[in-house]
Amino acid sequence: MELVDFSQTSLWVSLASITFNPLFWNIAARREYHTHWITSLFNGDRLKGCYAIAVTIFSLGILRDLLFNHALSHQPVLPLLLSAPVQLLAKLLFVSGMVFVLSSTYMLGITGT
């Protein structure tokens, strides 16, 4: 059994999205740091600019997750991944990751994250 079906277009679209997102964040953030282009789009209001880029990054992340989920649904499934212990471990890791994300967002706020 092949572990990855490279012929699926959804796999390549998902990979492109996964690659694009951090590139976009870093380029936009560096450009904002040096030129304040996002701030200038909002007439000098840094807070509105920060929220706008946060919404953009969050939206791109949702799209990336949807594309990734679609790509996975078209890939072969390794039977080991369907076992109860692996499923439990996956759920525990997911919950612990969400605790880290939510607690850092709570402590730092949207503008600090």
Side-chain angles (χ1 to χ4, degrees), residues 31-91:
R31 189 163 174 224
E32 171 63 14
Y33 179 78
H34 291 290
T35 66
H36 305 288
W37 71 282
I38 298 170
T39 302
S40 66
L41 288 175
F42 292 92
N43 296 321
D45 190 337
R46 294 182 307 178
L47 194 58
K48 285 183 183 174
C50 184
Y51 281 117
I53 195 70
V55 167
T56 303
I57 290 170
F58 182 75
S59 299
L60 286 171
I62 296 291
L63 177 62
R64 178 205 57 217
D65 292 349
L66 290 171
L67 292 171
F68 181 72
N69 190 36
H70 181 71
L72 283 183
S73 70
H74 291 91
Q75 291 294 316
V77 177
L78 187 64
L80 173 67
L81 298 177
L82 300 175
S83 69
V86 172
Q87 292 283 312
L88 177 63
L89 178 62
K91 289 174 185 173

Side-chain angles (χ1 to χ4, degrees), residues 77-109:
V77 177
L78 187 64
L80 173 67
L81 298 177
L82 300 175
S83 69
V86 172
Q87 292 283 312
L88 177 63
L89 178 62
K91 289 174 185 173
L92 290 172
L93 289 172
F94 177 80
V95 169
S96 64
M98 287 306 297
V99 167
F100 288 134
V101 168
L102 294 174
S103 63
S104 67
T105 302
Y106 174 74
M107 294 302 291
L108 298 172

